[in-house]
Amino acid sequence: MTTDSSLRSGPGTTGRSSRDGREGGYDGRLPGREHLPARQPVSAAPAAPVLDVVVPVYNEEKDLHSCVLRLHGHLARTFPYPFRITVADNASTDSTPAVAAALAAELPGVRSVRLEEKGRGRALRTVWAESDAPVLAYMDVDLSTDLNALLPLVAPLISGHSDLAIGSRLARSSRVVRGTKREFISRAYNLILRSSLAAGFSDAQCGFKAIRREVAERLLPMVEDSGWFFDTELLVLAERAGLRIHEVPVDWIDDPDSTVHIVRTAAEDLKGVWRVGRALAVGALPLDRLARPFGDDPRDRALTGVERGLARQLIGFCAVGVLSTLFYLALYSLFRLGVGPQVANGGALLVSAVANTAANRRLTFGVRGRGGAVRHQAQGLVVFAIGLALTSGSLAALGAASGSPSHSTELAVLITANLAATVLRFLLLRAWVFPARDRAPDSEDIR
């Protein structure tokens, strides 16, 4: 790789912190997000630009000069921070390297980087990994995206609000002009990402993205792809790690002269989706390195009087409840073969209540060890008595109303009565049977 650079500096230049925000390397967490200062004291020495915009190119000798001139002029007029434009040449075989070198010599804040291997992802990884700018971005050379969206794209990263930012052509307020074929492919691809990888972002393929440098330093080593799937993989890993992704609606005009091979690119993207999906399914990706990485996450603060884990407890309670209900109905049907409905209901409910209390104790509320187990079961029997009263009362009412109801009618009434008691049962278990003082700390509270 060879470089030729000329960096722009000025009154708005900010100083560069160490690569990890501290001496001695990472401690397993990313530093808290901070608003990047707009200027340093007059006595401070000029340093790195705040924004580094990468323009990856391959055989773009016709469009490169006008693209960079337009981008540089826009940034010089509108961007309030010092910036850099990096032309990343992906092993071009035409005069693109010469055009890039001429631009670097002509314009302040423009540099050229030459890579001897193709791949947009490889170019971004190389430039971003070596950049000293705190905010890193890239855009396609055709400038299909309206440049007025550039400042809104990077502003949340500069302010410390977000970790990554993407332009979206699929947002409601976006204005997009492109052919039916590309529109269909784009929407189909994003639908595949949502259904297979549970992606929450709306547009993975728009060539208009930005990332904070400290986030890139942690994410880039985990991204395998070096081609067009690179930024999709980056977004999926970031989202799975809980990082904040900001989306900006953009105005976008399709470039009819684009050199992107749609079919080949789509095939490579689908291979990437399969690879990442399989890795996520088997737990092969080390996302634990990224989970809850920032020290400024309010969920990491030790707050007194604010109990956590309600969502997880609800999920666990529902799962245990479904299994307990199936177990109860099976026992009731079995007991009903030899005894009356009231006895069958009482016996089935008693056995399932003991199992339900034990399961909720361990799985829902995280109470470990034998301490208090007898007390918990005794209190659970009180909750059982409430359920027994509701279900038995329902059966008695059914018998009084219809005389000899069918077995299916009895089951329907019992299911309804159990659903009515579920909310009360959860509240009693959470507040009385398994109070917070008896539980182990939630896993999300352990650092």
Side-chain angles (χ1 to χ4, degrees):
M1 180 187 73
T2 60
T3 64
D4 178 20
S5 63
S6 175
L7 307 184
R8 174 180 182 262
S9 61
T13 303
T14 62
R16 176 190 175 195
S17 60
S18 61
R19 300 288 285 186
D20 57 3
R22 64 187 67 81
E23 296 295 330
Y26 291 115
D27 65 353
R29 300 174 63 83
L30 284 169
R33 309 183 198 97
E34 294 182 357
H35 193 301
L36 300 175
R39 62 179 68 248
Q40 282 189 327
V42 177
S43 59
V50 169
L51 174 66
D52 193 346
V53 182
V54 182
V55 182
V57 293
Y58 174 73
N59 289 348
E60 297 286 355
E61 59 182 3
K62 294 182 179 179
D63 299 328
L64 179 57
H65 188 268
S66 59
C67 160
V68 174
L69 282 179
R70 180 181 164 197
L71 175 59
H72 187 275
H74 177 83
L75 287 171
R77 290 192 313 271
T78 66
F79 194 67
Y81 292 85
F83 63 85
R84 176 192 298 146
I85 299 172
T86 301
V87 179
D89 174 30
N90 294 288
S92 294
T93 56
D94 61 2
S95 62
T96 296
V99 176
L103 286 166
E106 174 187 353
L107 300 174
V110 175
R111 69 169 179 167
S112 64
V113 176
R114 166 76 177 181
L115 292 93
E116 300 303 331
E117 295 180 86
K118 291 180 60 177
R120 183 182 68 173
R122 178 177 289 105
L124 294 176
R125 185 199 313 275
T126 300
V127 177
W128 282 357
E130 297 180 354
S131 179
D132 53 0
V135 177
L136 312 168
Y138 93 89
M139 62 181 61
D140 293 335
V141 68
D142 55 19
L143 297 186
S144 294
T145 304
D146 182 14
L147 291 178
N148 286 326
L150 181 55
L151 184 55
L153 181 80
V154 301
L157 309 187
I158 292 174
S159 70
H161 174 272
S162 301
D163 308 308
L164 300 92
I166 65 174
S168 175
R169 299 163 296 184
L170 303 182
R172 287 187 176 182
S173 56
S174 298
R175 301 182 181 94
V176 177
V177 178
R178 62 176 165 179
T180 304
K181 179 180 177 180
R182 285 180 176 268
E183 179 77 12
F184 173 78
I185 292 175
S186 179
R187 291 188 177 274
Y189 178 64
N190 283 284
L191 180 61
I192 290 173
L193 291 180
R194 288 177 176 270
S195 59
S196 61
L197 300 180
F201 46 87
S202 66
D203 191 351
Q205 292 179 312
C206 183
F208 195 70
K209 297 181 175 71
I211 185 172
R212 288 177 68 97
R213 188 187 69 221
E214 66 268 19
V215 177
E217 288 173 344
R218 202 66 65 88
L219 275 176
L220 290 179
M222 300 184 187
V223 179
E224 293 186 20
D225 192 82
S226 296
W228 291 98
F229 187 69
F230 169 86
D231 43 352
T232 299
E233 185 173 357
L234 185 77
L235 289 173
V236 170
L237 296 183
E239 188 173 65
R240 287 300 183 96
L243 302 183
R244 181 175 288 164
I245 301 175
H246 176 72
E247 294 198 20
V248 177
V250 297
D251 297 344
W252 196 87
I253 300 177
D254 189 16
D255 178 14
D257 298 324
S258 174
T259 58
V260 177
H261 194 287
I262 297 178
V263 176
R264 183 171 61 244
T265 301
E268 292 299 321
D269 285 345
L270 292 177
K271 291 180 182 177
V273 170
W274 168 256
R275 174 177 55 79
V276 173
R278 182 177 56 184
L280 290 172
V282 301
L285 295 172
L287 294 180
D288 56 318
R289 292 192 219 159
L290 288 170
R292 311 296 298 284
F294 285 106
D296 64 346
D297 195 317
R299 295 171 295 177
D300 289 332
R301 298 172 188 167
L303 302 177
T304 58
V306 179
E307 191 173 351
R308 307 188 195 186
L310 177 60
R312 181 184 57 77
Q313 290 172 4
L314 282 172
I315 294 173
F317 177 78
C318 291
V320 171
V322 170
L323 295 177
S324 296
T325 300
L326 295 176
F327 181 52
Y328 159 75
L329 293 175
L331 286 176
Y332 176 82
S333 298
L334 178 64
F335 293 162
R336 190 68 177 84
L337 296 176
V339 297
Q342 293 289 1
V343 177
N345 175 63
L349 197 58
L350 177 61
V351 175
S352 62
V354 172
N356 181 277
T357 300
N360 276 313
R361 182 179 189 270
R362 178 65 181 87
L363 301 177
T364 302
F365 298 102
V367 179
R368 299 173 176 83
R370 297 182 179 179
V374 175
R375 174 173 58 84
H376 292 152
Q377 282 293 349
Q379 292 172 313
L381 289 177
V382 175
V383 178
F384 149 75
I386 296 175
L388 178 62
L390 286 173
T391 53
S392 297
S394 299
L395 283 175
L398 176 64
S402 59
S404 300
S406 65
H407 180 65
S408 60
T409 303
E410 289 179 352
L411 290 179
V413 169
L414 289 174
I415 291 173
T416 303
N418 270 285
L419 290 176
T422 296
V423 174
L424 181 59
R425 186 183 307 133
F426 175 76
L427 294 175
L428 287 173
L429 288 176
R430 191 171 195 262
W432 181 53
V433 181
F434 306 112
R437 64 177 180 273
D438 290 352
R439 303 179 213 152
D442 291 337
S443 59
E444 68 178 22
D445 295 338
I446 300 174
R447 299 189 186 183

